[in-house]
Amino acid sequence: MDLSTVPVAEPVNRLIAELEKLPGVGPKTAQRLTYYILRQPESEVRSLAQALLDVKTRVRFCTECFNISEDDLCPICRSPDRDRSVICVMEEPLHVLALERTGRYRGLYHVLHGVISPLNGILPENLRINELVERVKRDAVREVILATNPNLEGDTTASYIFKLLAPLGVKVSRLARGLPSGGELDYADERTMVEALDGRRPLN
Amino acid sequence: MDLSTVPVAEPVNRLIAELEKLPGVGPKTAQRLTYYILRQPESEVRSLAQALLDVKTRVRFCTECFNISEDDLCPICRSPDRDRSVICVMEEPLHVLALERTGRYRGLYHVLHGVISPLNGILPENLRINELVERVKRDAVREVILATNPNLEGDTTASYIFKLLAPLGVKVSRLARGLPSGGELDYADERTMVEALDGRRPLN
């Protein structure tokens, strides 16, 4: 949809173009958001703009686990209540949130910031894999849970890391695969069904 | 999804909260956008933030037609190429774009900034209806096209305006109703089918 031929105020066109760069935001959504913002009080728009800038200027990565943090060490790495002998390896910070929200995990994290994907030019050295191996060597780590995505790239990355960690004598695990809780069998894809069958557990 | 119990950098939480205020942006989307923004270069984020601010500080409404504008008069009202005897009445600036994009309309516009909706507290006096009547009285307007949405509120608003304009001797029309071009009959709802039937046109 070319708006350049349509006489529209330049700042409006520019905001539409900027919003369209965001993932999942098409031209229609960008237009709707722009006109929504036009109708909002200036104070509201200012706090959104400020929040955007703050996230870039005030947030960095934890020097230990590479999760997002406002300080050198993130709140999880700093916490005295966490079990320092378990590290859960995640692809990205969003996944840390997904596990934290359960409230069931009390160990530490290690964020890789991606997965091995040679086609996209992402090699092991582009991820925080070396830093993970160093942590395991240095600290008294008992178990590493590889929680990369349950897909081809996630599995490949997990295998690669497993080979590096196995010689260190640490226990390495992977999150369980199977049917999603609350789902229905007719919606499960073939691969999930096979994994659910292979991983079936005896009742007693 | 309550993130307040999860140890996340405050600017991240705040941006998620700000993005969630946008229409059509749920908690998941807000999180994804936030982590996307974290990975973008600071310059990119700065231009998005600036575009947001500019739209609020540099854009106002045309004093004539109330479409968005950077100046007192919008480019359409200023243009010597437009037919000043026809005014198309729109609910919002986004709809002006929709018609401009066709390149087929050469008249002027009048943006109401809403529709009559007593349940939502929007009465005729909250819209730019008086200003429309004044324009029709003052200028040599030949035709007013009521292009409010083809739904209950749009129809009600169009009827209301029609009653005000009829005594002024101006031609008042409404956009045609029928089957959407490129659509298929089995997807048309009952109301659209009835309107397509009632509005059928003889071939020759």
Side-chain angles (χ1 to χ4, degrees), chain A residues 136-167:
Chain A
V136 173
K137 278 183 183 163
R138 190 192 59 204
D139 302 335
V141 178
R142 194 169 41 82
E143 179 175 2
V144 173
I145 304 167
L146 298 172
T148 50
N149 277 332
N151 57 25
L152 185 63
E153 291 180 336
D155 287 343
T156 308
T157 306
S159 301
Y160 181 91
I161 295 174
F162 174 66
K163 278 178 201 136
L164 293 177
L165 295 182

Side-chain angles (χ1 to χ4, degrees), chain A residues 47 50-52 54-55 58, chain B residues 9-20 34:
Chain A
S47 54
Q50 194 56 52
L52 282 163
D54 284 353
V55 128
R58 285 178 45 198
Chain B
E10 188 272 339
V12 171
N13 265 345
R14 190 150 43 82
L15 181 56
I16 293 172
E18 288 290 339
L19 291 171
E20 268 188 62
T34 297

Side-chain angles (χ1 to χ4, degrees), chain A residues 4-201:
Chain A
S4 59
T5 56
V6 176
V8 171
E10 188 271 339
V12 171
N13 264 345
R14 190 151 43 82
L15 181 56
I16 293 172
E18 288 289 340
L19 290 172
E20 267 188 62
K21 292 183 194 165
L22 298 175
V25 178
K28 283 266 171 197
T29 308
Q31 282 178 41
R32 246 170 241 156
L33 286 174
T34 298
Y35 286 95
Y36 171 82
I37 281 157
L38 263 172
R39 288 195 306 269
Q40 292 310 107
E42 191 174 326
S43 61
E44 283 288 305
V45 180
R46 286 209 175 273
S47 54
L48 171 57
Q50 194 56 52
L52 282 163
L53 295 175
D54 284 353
V55 128
K56 283 311 290 182
T57 54
R58 285 178 45 198
V59 177
R60 42 189 158 164
F61 295 117
C62 173
T63 54
E64 188 70 11
C65 75
F66 303 98
N67 192 6
I68 48 165
S69 177
E70 285 182 90
D71 305 294
D72 273 355
L73 279 182
C74 75
I76 297 174
C77 284
R78 273 203 316 266
S79 167
D81 303 329
R82 310 291 299 219
D83 178 354
R84 316 192 82 78
S85 69
V86 187
I87 294 177
C88 182
V89 177
M90 295 296 204
E91 288 183 22
E92 44 166 307
L94 204 49
H95 299 174
V96 173
L97 275 193
L99 188 48
E100 280 299 293
R101 247 181 261 118
T102 67
R104 282 287 290 277
Y105 179 68
R106 303 308 303 162
L108 302 178
Y109 289 95
H110 191 91
V111 181
L112 298 173
H113 289 278
V115 272
I116 301 171
S117 174
L119 285 177
N120 295 312
I122 304 172
L123 303 172
E125 53 264 39
N126 303 122
L127 306 173
R128 298 300 187 168
I129 295 177
N130 284 339
E131 289 87 343
L132 172 66
V133 175
E134 288 310 308
R135 277 180 82 183
V136 173
K137 278 183 183 163
R138 190 192 59 204
D139 302 335
V141 178
R142 194 169 41 82
E143 179 175 2
V144 173
I145 304 167
L146 298 172
T148 50
N149 277 332
N151 57 25
L152 185 63
E153 291 180 336
D155 287 343
T156 308
T157 306
S159 301
Y160 181 91
I161 295 174
F162 174 66
K163 278 178 201 136
L164 293 177
L165 295 182
L168 306 179
V170 66
K171 184 177 160 194
V172 182
S173 61
R174 187 117 174 79
L175 291 184
R177 306 276 267 262
L179 296 166
S181 195
E184 287 176 40
L185 248 70
D186 23 336
Y187 290 112
D189 63 298
E190 222 169 279
R191 216 184 133 86
T192 301
M193 282 302 285
V194 169
E195 281 167 346
L197 184 67
D198 288 353
R200 67 190 181 279
R201 294 164 69 171

